[in-house]
Amino acid sequence: MYPNQRFLIVQTAFIGDVILATSLIEKLYFHFPEATIDFLVRKGNEGLLKGHPYLNEVLIWDKKNGKYRDLLRLIRLLRQRRYDKVINLQRFGATGLLTALSGAVETAGFSKNPFARFFNHRIEHRIAPGIHEVDRNTELVSWFTDGLVFKPRLYPSADDFAQVQPYQTGPYICVAPTSVWFTKQYPEEKWIDFVRQLPASLTVYLLGAPSDRDAAERIRQAVGSERVVNLTGQLSLLASAALMKGAQMNYVNDSAPMHLASAVNAPTTAVFCSTIPQFGFGPLADASYVVEIEEILECRPCSLHGRKACPLGHFQCAYGIRTDQLLQPLLA
């Protein structure tokens, strides 16, 4: 095994998936500190890995403009580079084709991928209690390393920390109230009730993407307090992570901000509505708490990834969560 190997990690899914995949960067660097490690992401997610000390290059796939034309460009690029190992963390055909045609000496991926039969190494993507996504990803490289699992990690820059310093003049918490999926999102009125019951000494920063601004603004206005500040769309992902790192607590849904907090080891309280932590996507920070309905619901979980609406119309998995459950980790 030569120390100066060239690795490519492929994860072109969503923000949270990329963050969880950074555990493999940590692991590969630990075993092969002289190796060249590249990472392939979808366009828009490259900012997560800006300034990463262990990465040589971040490759970008433009999936919105000429998706397959750009895929062919990437395949040609990979074949020119002749990677020693391409590690594909996705289970979809396009990246499977890219992996199979990469020209790499060895390839690894999940057996569910339609092109998995062309990989040199395949493992099952197992959803089971006690198995986190970082465990599943680690299995893809354990055959040439070991079974030790590393936590995901991001590296906000000095500029990121300097940008959020003006917000850190007193104790604060961060709340990321939204999610792409309706059934993963704790309801606005529930967030409002929670924020109203927080100690008056705490500033509350609402975080999210520009598209989340209206929802966060409704929460801010409903609470009606100057201590609630809407920062949605104003901070980069790494700057958001820098702010979360200094928070007394970070309140998130089962969504990307949860993984953002994990990647800087920030205290996290994750609210699970229709999904469950047993799927393997729970928080990983040292101080992590999961809040979910205490009642057993036959309809929960209703899907692996969340839905656009509650199939039964009642959304009891969210409305059945009590505000004191959210307050407990902060006030304990």
Side-chain angles (χ1 to χ4, degrees):
M1 188 76 66
Y2 297 101
N4 59 343
Q5 288 195 86
R6 180 180 284 269
F7 297 105
L8 176 67
I9 301 170
V10 178
Q11 181 48 278
T12 63
F14 298 104
I15 292 170
D17 302 297
V18 175
I19 295 172
L20 293 177
T22 62
S23 67
L24 290 194
I25 305 175
E26 301 293 317
K27 185 172 181 64
L28 291 177
Y29 179 79
F30 176 82
H31 285 278
F32 310 100
E34 303 301 320
T36 297
I37 306 173
D38 293 343
F39 201 115
L40 174 61
V41 299
R42 70 191 299 169
K43 186 176 181 179
N45 288 348
E46 61 271 17
L48 281 166
L49 303 175
K50 182 179 179 181
H52 196 295
Y54 303 153
L55 284 181
N56 170 65
E57 185 177 358
V58 178
L59 306 181
I60 300 170
W61 179 20
D62 191 344
K63 299 175 76 170
K64 291 187 176 180
N65 300 300
K67 175 179 179 179
Y68 294 106
R69 181 175 66 249
D70 203 45
L71 183 68
L72 291 174
R73 175 190 66 82
L74 285 169
I75 291 172
R76 288 193 293 267
L77 177 63
L78 268 54
R79 293 182 70 85
Q80 291 171 5
R81 295 192 174 182
R82 187 71 175 174
Y83 285 97
D84 290 287
K85 290 179 176 62
V86 170
I87 303 139
N88 183 2
L89 306 186
Q90 292 186 256
R91 304 182 300 283
F92 301 104
T95 56
L97 179 65
L98 176 139
T99 302
L101 297 179
S102 66
V105 177
E106 294 182 287
T107 55
F110 291 111
S111 55
K112 288 183 179 179
N113 193 291
F115 291 91
R117 64 182 179 276
F118 299 109
F119 302 165
N120 300 109
H121 301 272
R122 299 171 295 276
I123 69 159
E124 181 185 358
H125 187 271
R126 296 179 296 133
I127 304 268
I131 300 177
H132 198 280
E133 182 75 352
V134 294
D135 301 319
R136 294 186 281 256
N137 290 344
T138 298
E139 285 191 67
L140 287 175
V141 301
S142 62
W143 56 277
F144 66 91
T145 57
D146 57 28
L148 184 64
V149 178
F150 285 68
K151 285 187 176 182
R153 187 174 179 187
L154 295 177
Y155 292 84
S157 68
D159 287 343
D160 293 318
F161 284 106
Q163 183 183 354
V164 302
Q165 189 174 7
Y167 302 117
Q168 298 176 307
T169 56
Y172 66 92
I173 69 166
C174 296
V175 176
T178 63
S179 170
V180 172
W181 300 103
F182 173 84
T183 62
K184 279 188 174 184
Q185 181 172 298
Y186 197 51
E188 284 183 22
E189 57 267 42
K190 300 283 285 185
W191 283 124
I192 292 165
D193 182 60
F194 162 68
V195 174
R196 282 175 174 166
Q197 296 191 42
L198 288 169
S201 59
L202 286 175
T203 298
V204 180
Y205 293 119
L206 302 177
L207 300 181
S211 58
D212 302 321
R213 184 158 185 81
D214 289 347
E217 188 61 18
R218 288 192 297 270
I219 294 172
R220 187 192 70 81
Q221 291 186 13
V223 174
S225 171
E226 292 183 356
R227 65 188 176 91
V228 181
V229 182
N230 185 359
L231 293 181
T232 52
Q234 298 184 42
L235 300 176
S236 69
L237 288 167
L238 288 180
S240 296
L243 185 64
M244 296 173 94
K245 187 173 178 63
Q248 302 288 307
M249 183 59 68
N250 296 281
Y251 285 88
V252 295
N253 297 295
D254 175 17
S255 57
M258 173 176 62
H259 306 304
L260 204 60
S262 292
V264 291
N265 200 28
T268 310
T269 296
V271 183
F272 280 76
C273 299
S274 69
T275 53
I276 56 176
Q278 289 81 1
F279 285 157
F281 295 95
L284 293 170
D286 292 341
S288 293
Y289 306 89
V290 169
V291 172
E292 56 190 331
I293 187 171
E294 295 176 347
E295 176 188 353
I296 301 296
L297 298 177
E298 292 184 2
C299 57
R300 178 178 185 264
C302 62
S303 72
L304 180 62
H305 298 293
R307 295 178 181 270
K308 294 181 179 180
C310 172
L312 301 180
H314 53 64
F315 202 23
Q316 181 62 17
C317 59
Y319 284 105
I321 296 173
R322 304 185 314 277
T323 297
D324 67 273
Q325 291 179 257
L326 276 70
L327 291 169
Q328 185 175 359
L330 181 64
L331 303 178

